[in-house]
Amino acid sequence: GSPFVSLLLALSCCQGLHHNNIDDYVEAEPVFQASKYGSLWPLPQKVQISEVSFKLSSASFRIVDAKASSAGPSCSLLQSAYRRYYEYMFGSAKKQWGSKNNRRSDPSDLTELQVWITSPDSECDGYPSVTSDESYELTVNQPVAVLKAPTVWGALHGRIYSIYFHCQIISYFPFSKSINATIINDFPRFQHRGILLDSSRHFLPIKVILSNLETMAMNKINVFHWHIVDEQSFPYLSRTFPQLSEQGAYHPYTHVYTPADVKMVIEFARLRGIRVVPEFDTPGHTQSWGKGQKDLLTPCYSGSKPSGSFGPVNPILNTTYDFMAKFFTEISTVFPDGYIHLGGDEVDFTCWKSNPDIQKFMEQQHFGEDYSKLESFYIQKLLDIVASTKKGYLVWQEVFDNGVKLKPDTVVHVWIGGRSDKEMSNVTAAGYTTILSAPWYLDYISYGQDWQKYYKVEPLNFEGTDEQKKLVIGGEACLWGEYVDATNLTPRLWPRASAVAERLWSAKNVTDIDDAFNRLSLHRCRMVERGIPAEPLFSSYCLHEYKGV
Amino acid sequence: GSPFVSLLLALSCCQGLHHNNIDDYVEAEPVFQASKYGSLWPLPQKVQISEVSFKLSSASFRIVDAKASSAGPSCSLLQSAYRRYYEYMFGSAKKQWGSKNNRRSDPSDLTELQVWITSPDSECDGYPSVTSDESYELTVNQPVAVLKAPTVWGALHGRIYSIYFHCQIISYFPFSKSINATIINDFPRFQHRGILLDSSRHFLPIKVILSNLETMAMNKINVFHWHIVDEQSFPYLSRTFPQLSEQGAYHPYTHVYTPADVKMVIEFARLRGIRVVPEFDTPGHTQSWGKGQKDLLTPCYSGSKPSGSFGPVNPILNTTYDFMAKFFTEISTVFPDGYIHLGGDEVDFTCWKSNPDIQKFMEQQHFGEDYSKLESFYIQKLLDIVASTKKGYLVWQEVFDNGVKLKPDTVVHVWIGGRSDKEMSNVTAAGYTTILSAPWYLDYISYGQDWQKYYKVEPLNFEGTDEQKKLVIGGEACLWGEYVDATNLTPRLWPRASAVAERLWSAKNVTDIDDAFNRLSLHRCRMVERGIPAEPLFSSYCLHEYKGV
């Protein structure tokens, strides 16, 4: 058909244009129009969509390993992805599967997607990492489409993409679908594209975490930063120190993550190309740790007597470091990712200052009145402990600001708003790798289309050399949990985090806000169709509305 | 037991205190403590809770009609309420039902709640109205508790209350429950306690509407203001003018409310003591009407030629009034409530001004350049039409501001922020009944505990005589739909609307914000336990977290 017609059809895939004739309106409203990229999100680095289109039928279409692929039927990561994507494309209506006799395909049908992993090592049984090659090429042609990728990680993105993109460039006739001939060449702009979820302020049931991992994959997010414990509760069930969650969780049975839960989260994420980076934040943000671990926290004093309350981790006791060594040894084996987030933010010195033993220690160490030296003392020892487990680490920006000696491969996490560009400048000038979160605190909500604010952020918009800019490996959208639990997390996160996802994946010059509105409107309907309660951008509808309540 | 112990147990009913020892925290946080009223919400006018407590067992407990009650087994409204509340109290675990032999009750058990409707007319088969008597008295004593109410409407509230309240003053031992001896005397401060939902900016599936009606009942909200159509879409399927939704809905089959749907909503609401007040807003906010009804809207002009776009309803054609007469005749039979909301807000004069026929009409009528006179001309005729259907009407404040002649029983709906107290003063000084929404636009969101802002509103805080104050019959929380659909409506509405619900039900002096925080925290967990994704007030947990995603 003509290009115009096929584009319209493509759009009607996820959000109809029917009755959307907003030109008639008196009030000024965002005008939904067809993007020439349909609902592609995040936008690939390079796309060519042809006018030629092919038919797609669930009865004849198959996703198969290419003959030359280094990943075959034994690669369960890909095989389960194939099943998932087939269902995305055609729904779970298995009735559509024809019997052998029924499986005749039209000569104009697209009947196969061949997946071709080109590196000798497909990395099928490994874990994604910060250096994974996530690139892929997708060529949709008749009768066969080919998805080429060096590793499964690219194939997964391409795969997901191919589906999105199938959905995007698929046109829904009443009972059949069609797809445009297409060539996509794609790779991420940034390697680290993360989302922080906080399971301490409110416990997040596993089901919520899994369905958000699924949604992260739909958005090419590749890092789940699991802010698993904090002041309020300690839901991580430690094999070595079970009393931490027994005493520190909101409830010792119903509000904890067992080793099996954690394992399931990690594997579910791996199958979708997502790293799980756990955060165990110390020495501040640790009230819940103190409930199950005697003497771990600093006793605060009121005058000459202990007040009964506790401050940050006690940095002057050997037992503290014995505990941390054992604890992080466990963590380093439970979480396969190469990195652990060690926190280090917002340490309140009030309690340390009140404690006479700490005061004495400060004198002995010649720290004077500079408690940030004490903080650095603690962090330094902690970093050495964690380094001995062969893990890399991420830390919040205060650790850098306080001049702690860091391993060269440390990732500094910039979160403080206002002049985060200056901080990016400083961190990279010092030669450290960095990720940005300051403009992407999604727990802060406001009326209207705040996704645009997140979308307009340019992470490299700071003073620095090209070398410095290369040290920015990405960013994270943070959804802190004070006001968020299973009841409202998903619609609050999506599609607002999708804006961050495109910023971190697509080319720097992908900044057309109207085109983004049009594509994102469809992308959010696609999430809704897959059962994810992603909230609307503005007055609109989806062909298939959210069915839950 | 001692009063202290029973209070603790009462609280652990819905939100445990376990590990909530926030005194230890360094950071300042809202401190959750036991309210002496447990989780009662909205707080009754008068409560006495005794230290004496009785056991409650699902095997022996029954809810029955009192012998002297004017409502018997034929009152299906009460019978279905009994079933609902029994399930709320004991869960759907029907296994607990003992066989006859098992049904021996402990001498200390509370075994029966007798429901006694005292008026000769129980109103069981009627509809709630603005003059319904919603008062009730609840006496929990052993072995029998009694709920007395003049009509079923009070019994429903008391009933719901009794359950809440059962939940509140029930203590959960591992496998049994107990309840304190209690006397409640209760009635609403305001007669009109509404929530506006908007099914035009986004279509709201029936399921979402029903589950929010259920939640309204839990909060003693008694008016569902159904802003059913607007510019963006016309989902109301009219028997008389089916082309309105055929052309004006987002989708003519999947995004409409059929007559059966509307009937179901109304009956579901009635069974919970909730009025359904539909709004059909004219002459502005009507773009979607124009799609299916030729010549209804004013053609706008660009210079001397029609621009192709349309403005508000065309007030100069007889066909307009013929249409409105037929349309509102249908509406008056479909919706049994005594009132219809006629809108009348935000009429943009630009298009009227551009149209030469309208200009001529203005001259003929000697309206000069005052287009608000034309608006009044239209509204006046519309009000006469609606009055002839024997319905009362509500209008947005502009209709009053523009000096339209109103029937004395008109309800003026104050919504414009800033100086709404002045408007309340003016409206009541002119002798009109009024309801307040200006401070309760819940679609405006912000970070943090904004429920407190809604809670602190005092509706009678304006200059006026006692007579004027009596004209304020209540208010409504409005959740406009630009950014809200099934994906995020429920957590955005609850528990924020609960703050409005208590303000409109409870005594004027119920203003202790800390006590409200403590009760509302438990009340929201109760909603969560009943499957409603009501969002959290702050870092916390519920014994039974939300199970959906």
Side-chain angles (χ1 to χ4, degrees):
Chain A
S2 79
F4 184 60
V5 168
S6 64
L7 266 174
L8 278 184
L9 289 170
L11 284 165
S12 71
C13 156
C14 297
Q15 174 162 2
L17 288 172
H18 182 65
H19 301 305
N20 237 341
N21 193 11
I22 306 185
D23 289 346
D24 290 349
Y25 285 17
V26 172
E27 295 179 351
E29 294 184 347
V31 176
F32 177 80
Q33 284 177 325
S35 163
K36 67 174 172 166
Y37 298 114
S39 67
L40 282 168
W41 194 278
L43 197 67
Q45 301 287 341
K46 206 171 159 194
V47 197
Q48 294 166 270
I49 304 179
S50 147
E51 299 173 19
V52 181
S53 76
F54 315 122
K55 277 204 284 182
L56 253 184
S57 129
S58 64
S60 60
F61 185 76
R62 295 292 178 276
I63 309 176
V64 299
D65 301 308
K67 274 190 187 146
S69 177
S70 63
S74 68
C75 177
S76 62
L77 182 146
L78 283 184
Q79 302 305 323
S80 68
Y82 297 169
R83 279 196 295 277
R84 213 158 59 235
Y85 298 138
Y86 184 88
E87 197 170 314
Y88 283 166
M89 292 176 70
F90 301 108
S92 52
K94 268 123 198 174
K95 291 171 213 158
Q96 299 176 349
W97 264 88
S99 68
K100 241 184 185 167
N101 296 339
N102 273 335
R103 282 185 53 194
R104 55 204 163 80
S105 58
D106 204 279
S108 70
D109 276 9
L110 173 67
T111 55
E112 221 171 75
L113 173 65
Q114 295 182 356
V115 179
W116 182 1
I117 308 300
T118 57
S119 288
D121 178 6
S122 69
E123 300 186 20
C124 181
D125 298 315
Y127 288 91
S129 78
V130 71
T131 57
S132 294
D133 187 336
E134 297 179 288
S135 68
Y136 67 93
E137 282 176 45
L138 179 64
T139 312
V140 177
N141 216 325
Q142 200 263 325
V144 165
V146 178
L147 172 66
K148 257 173 89 171
T151 69
V152 292
W153 313 120
L156 274 179
H157 285 307
R159 186 138 283 317
I160 287 176
Y161 231 78
S162 78
I163 294 309
Y164 282 11
F165 130 83
H166 280 323
C167 181
Q168 290 146 11
I169 56 179
I170 284 174
S171 319
Y172 280 63
F173 294 99
F175 300 104
S176 74
K177 300 172 180 185
S178 73
I179 183 165
N180 290 66
T182 307
I183 301 175
I184 288 182
N185 264 279
D186 203 9
F187 54 88
R189 182 177 172 210
F190 293 105
Q191 287 287 7
H192 186 116
R193 306 178 305 281
I195 284 181
L196 176 151
L197 298 181
D198 169 1
S199 58
S200 172
R201 273 62 181 242
H202 289 98
F203 180 78
L204 301 175
I206 289 289
K207 194 178 159 194
V208 176
I209 293 177
L210 298 186
S211 82
N212 276 281
L213 283 167
E214 181 72 37
T215 318
M216 288 180 207
M218 291 183 204
N219 288 273
K220 297 201 187 317
I221 292 288
N222 69 351
V223 177
F224 168 34
H225 175 167
W226 194 351
H227 188 88
I228 191 167
V229 303
D230 205 298
E231 308 277 31
Q232 287 78 359
S233 75
F234 197 103
Y236 174 76
L237 199 165
S238 160
R239 289 177 203 264
T240 322
F241 301 101
Q243 70 276 21
L244 287 171
S245 61
E246 242 159 55
Q247 301 299 321
Y250 279 132
H251 188 285
Y253 305 134
T254 58
H255 288 62
V256 295
Y257 301 109
T258 66
D261 290 336
V262 172
K263 214 168 184 172
M264 193 201 299
V265 167
I266 293 167
E267 180 64 6
F268 192 95
R270 186 187 81 85
L271 290 175
R272 285 152 184 83
I274 299 170
R275 300 164 53 200
V276 177
V277 176
E279 177 179 355
F280 289 90
D281 190 357
T282 64
H285 289 274
T286 46
Q287 287 297 311
S288 69
W289 301 52
K291 291 179 178 159
Q293 188 66 17
K294 212 170 149 310
D295 296 335
L296 182 65
L297 303 186
T298 308
C300 314
Y301 276 65
S302 173
S304 61
K305 281 181 201 161
S307 70
S309 67
F310 295 87
V313 165
N314 192 335
I316 68 170
L317 301 180
N318 288 332
T319 52
T320 292
Y321 301 101
D322 294 344
F323 167 82
M324 291 295 171
K326 281 186 197 143
F327 183 76
F328 279 102
T329 299
E330 172 184 322
I331 296 306
S332 71
T333 59
V334 168
F335 292 90
D337 196 76
Y339 283 78
I340 299 175
H341 202 302
L342 297 176
D345 58 321
E346 299 184 310
V347 182
D348 185 319
F349 298 146
T350 322
C351 181
W352 280 351
K353 284 181 186 169
S354 76
N355 181 304
D357 297 329
I358 303 257
Q359 290 161 9
K360 206 192 291 175
F361 186 82
M362 292 284 290
E363 269 173 50
Q364 288 166 357
Q365 298 284 331
H366 307 294
F367 288 166
E369 290 295 305
D370 188 353
Y371 282 83
S372 73
K373 284 188 177 148
L374 181 59
E375 181 183 349
S376 298
F377 172 88
Y378 166 80
I379 296 268
Q380 200 68 70
K381 290 181 76 96
L382 180 70
L383 296 188
D384 292 343
I385 286 168
V386 174
S388 76
T389 69
K390 311 282 181 220
K391 294 285 185 182
Y393 41 76
L394 298 93
V395 291
W396 295 109
Q397 70 179 71
E398 287 98 318
V399 176
F400 165 79
D401 296 344
N402 288 339
V404 177
K405 196 183 86 198
L406 299 166
K407 280 201 303 180
D409 64 341
T410 301
V411 180
V412 177
H413 197 164
V414 174
W415 71 275
I416 298 177
R419 290 305 304 273
S420 59
D421 61 322
K422 272 215 93 86
E423 182 78 6
M424 298 290 282
S425 224
N426 294 342
V427 171
T428 53
Y432 290 111
T433 304
T434 183
I435 57 174
L436 180 64
S437 279
W440 291 322
Y441 265 40
L442 269 53
D443 49 321
Y444 294 125
I445 54 170
S446 57
Y447 183 74
Q449 299 200 36
D450 59 359
W451 70 272
Q452 299 191 355
K453 185 173 69 185
Y454 307 127
Y455 191 75
K456 287 174 182 163
V457 171
E458 169 45 55
L460 302 189
N461 198 7
F462 62 86
E463 275 184 49
T465 63
D466 286 356
E467 282 308 300
Q468 279 177 260
K469 307 272 163 126
K470 278 183 198 145
L471 291 169
V472 180
I473 57 167
E476 291 184 0
C478 299
L479 191 65
W480 295 102
E482 283 84 353
Y483 300 100
V484 173
D485 70 2
T487 62
N488 61 351
L489 184 148
T490 310
R492 191 161 290 191
L493 187 57
W494 308 104
R496 294 161 79 227
S498 302
V500 182
E502 173 151 305
R503 180 55 50 236
L504 293 172
W505 179 280
S506 303
K508 186 173 180 173
N509 64 2
V510 177
T511 55
D512 181 334
I513 200 86
D514 295 327
D515 191 66
F517 175 82
N518 297 330
R519 286 182 292 111
L520 188 52
S521 295
L522 299 180
H523 178 52
R524 100 96 188 172
C525 281
R526 180 164 48 229
M527 292 191 269
V528 167
E529 279 177 38
R530 291 187 193 165
I532 301 300
E535 65 179 23
L537 297 180
F538 196 62
S539 303
S540 64
Y541 73 106
C542 300
L543 277 187
H544 302 278
E545 300 286 1
Y546 183 60
K547 290 294 187 296
V549 173
Chain B
S2 79
F4 184 60
V5 168
S6 64
L7 266 174
L8 278 183
L9 289 169
L11 285 164
S12 72
C13 157
C14 296
Q15 177 163 2
L17 288 173
H18 184 67
H19 300 306
N20 237 342
N21 193 10
I22 305 184
D23 289 345
D24 291 349
Y25 285 15
V26 171
E27 295 178 351
E29 294 185 347
V31 176
F32 176 78
Q33 284 177 325
S35 163
K36 66 173 172 166
Y37 298 114
S39 67
L40 282 167
W41 192 279
L43 196 66
Q45 302 287 340
K46 205 170 158 196
V47 198
Q48 293 167 269
I49 303 180
S50 144
E51 298 172 20
V52 181
S53 77
F54 316 121
K55 278 205 282 182
L56 254 184
S57 131
S58 64
S60 61
F61 186 75
R62 296 291 178 274
I63 308 176
V64 299
D65 303 307
K67 275 191 186 147
S69 177
S70 62
S74 68
C75 176
S76 61
L77 181 146
L78 283 185
Q79 301 306 321
S80 67
Y82 297 169
R83 281 196 292 278
R84 215 158 58 236
Y85 298 136
Y86 184 87
E87 196 168 316
Y88 282 165
M89 291 176 70
F90 300 107
S92 52
K94 268 124 198 173
K95 291 170 213 157
Q96 298 177 349
W97 265 88
S99 68
K100 244 185 184 168
N101 296 341
N102 272 337
R103 279 185 56 195
R104 57 202 162 82
S105 58
D106 205 279
S108 70
D109 276 10
L110 173 67
T111 55
E112 221 173 73
L113 174 64
Q114 296 181 355
V115 179
W116 181 2
I117 308 299
T118 56
S119 289
D121 180 5
S122 70
E123 301 186 19
C124 180
D125 298 316
Y127 289 92
S129 79
V130 71
T131 56
S132 293
D133 186 336
E134 297 180 287
S135 67
Y136 68 93
E137 281 175 45
L138 179 64
T139 312
V140 177
N141 216 324
Q142 199 260 326
V144 164
V146 178
L147 172 65
K148 257 172 90 171
T151 69
V152 292
W153 314 120
L156 275 179
H157 285 308
R159 185 137 284 319
I160 287 174
Y161 232 77
S162 79
I163 295 310
Y164 282 13
F165 133 82
H166 280 325
C167 182
Q168 291 146 9
I169 56 177
I170 284 173
S171 319
Y172 280 64
F173 293 98
F175 300 105
S176 75
K177 299 173 182 185
S178 72
I179 184 165
N180 291 65
T182 307
I183 301 174
I184 287 183
N185 263 278
D186 203 9
F187 54 88
R189 182 177 172 208
F190 293 105
Q191 286 288 6
H192 187 117
R193 306 177 305 279
I195 284 182
L196 177 151
L197 298 181
D198 168 0
S199 58
S200 172
R201 274 63 180 241
H202 289 97
F203 179 77
L204 302 176
I206 288 291
K207 195 179 158 192
V208 175
I209 294 178
L210 299 186
S211 81
N212 277 280
L213 283 167
E214 181 73 36
T215 318
M216 289 181 208
M218 290 183 206
N219 288 272
K220 297 199 185 320
I221 292 288
N222 68 352
V223 178
F224 168 35
H225 175 167
W226 193 352
H227 188 89
I228 190 166
V229 303
D230 205 298
E231 309 277 32
Q232 286 79 0
S233 76
F234 196 103
Y236 173 77
L237 199 166
S238 160
R239 288 176 202 264
T240 322
F241 301 101
Q243 70 275 21
L244 288 171
S245 61
E246 243 160 54
Q247 301 299 321
Y250 279 132
H251 189 287
Y253 305 134
T254 58
H255 288 62
V256 295
Y257 302 109
T258 66
D261 290 336
V262 172
K263 216 168 182 170
M264 194 201 300
V265 167
I266 292 168
E267 180 62 5
F268 193 94
R270 186 187 82 83
L271 290 175
R272 285 154 185 82
I274 299 169
R275 301 164 53 199
V276 177
V277 176
E279 177 179 353
F280 289 91
D281 190 357
T282 64
H285 289 275
T286 47
Q287 288 297 311
S288 68
W289 301 53
K291 292 178 176 158
Q293 187 65 16
K294 211 170 152 304
D295 296 335
L296 182 66
L297 303 187
T298 308
C300 314
Y301 277 66
S302 173
S304 61
K305 280 182 200 160
S307 70
S309 66
F310 295 87
V313 165
N314 192 332
I316 69 169
L317 300 180
N318 288 333
T319 51
T320 292
Y321 301 101
D322 294 344
F323 168 82
M324 291 294 171
K326 282 186 197 142
F327 183 76
F328 279 101
T329 299
E330 173 183 320
I331 297 306
S332 71
T333 59
V334 168
F335 291 90
D337 195 76
Y339 283 78
I340 299 175
H341 202 303
L342 296 176
D345 57 321
E346 298 183 311
V347 182
D348 185 320
F349 297 145
T350 322
C351 181
W352 279 350
K353 286 180 183 168
S354 77
N355 181 304
D357 297 328
I358 302 257
Q359 290 160 10
K360 205 192 290 172
F361 185 82
M362 291 284 289
E363 269 173 52
Q364 287 166 357
Q365 298 284 332
H366 308 293
F367 289 165
E369 290 294 308
D370 188 355
Y371 282 82
S372 72
K373 284 189 178 147
L374 181 59
E375 182 184 350
S376 298
F377 172 88
Y378 166 79
I379 296 268
Q380 200 67 70
K381 290 181 77 98
L382 180 70
L383 296 189
D384 292 344
I385 286 168
V386 174
S388 77
T389 69
K390 312 283 180 219
K391 295 285 187 184
Y393 40 75
L394 298 92
V395 291
W396 296 108
Q397 70 179 70
E398 288 98 317
V399 175
F400 165 80
D401 296 344
N402 289 339
V404 177
K405 196 184 84 198
L406 299 166
K407 281 201 304 178
D409 65 341
T410 302
V411 180
V412 178
H413 197 163
V414 174
W415 70 276
I416 299 178
R419 291 303 304 270
S420 59
D421 60 323
K422 272 213 93 85
E423 183 78 6
M424 297 291 281
S425 223
N426 294 341
V427 170
T428 53
Y432 291 110
T433 304
T434 184
I435 57 174
L436 180 66
S437 280
W440 291 321
Y441 265 40
L442 268 52
D443 49 321
Y444 294 125
I445 54 169
S446 56
Y447 182 73
Q449 299 200 36
D450 59 359
W451 70 272
Q452 299 192 355
K453 185 173 68 186
Y454 307 127
Y455 190 75
K456 286 174 181 164
V457 171
E458 168 46 54
L460 302 190
N461 197 8
F462 63 85
E463 274 184 50
T465 62
D466 285 357
E467 282 309 299
Q468 280 178 259
K469 307 273 163 123
K470 278 184 198 146
L471 290 168
V472 181
I473 57 167
E476 292 185 358
C478 299
L479 191 65
W480 296 101
E482 283 84 352
Y483 299 101
V484 173
D485 70 2
T487 62
N488 60 352
L489 184 147
T490 310
R492 192 160 290 190
L493 188 57
W494 309 105
R496 294 162 78 229
S498 303
V500 182
E502 173 152 304
R503 179 55 51 238
L504 293 172
W505 178 280
S506 303
K508 187 173 181 175
N509 64 1
V510 177
T511 55
D512 180 335
I513 200 86
D514 295 326
D515 191 65
F517 176 82
N518 296 329
R519 286 183 293 113
L520 188 53
S521 294
L522 299 180
H523 178 53
R524 99 98 187 170
C525 281
R526 182 164 46 229
M527 292 190 270
V528 167
E529 280 178 36
R530 292 188 193 164
I532 302 298
E535 66 180 20
L537 298 180
F538 195 61
S539 302
S540 64
Y541 74 106
C542 300
L543 276 186
H544 302 278
E545 300 287 0
Y546 183 61
K547 290 294 185 298
V549 173

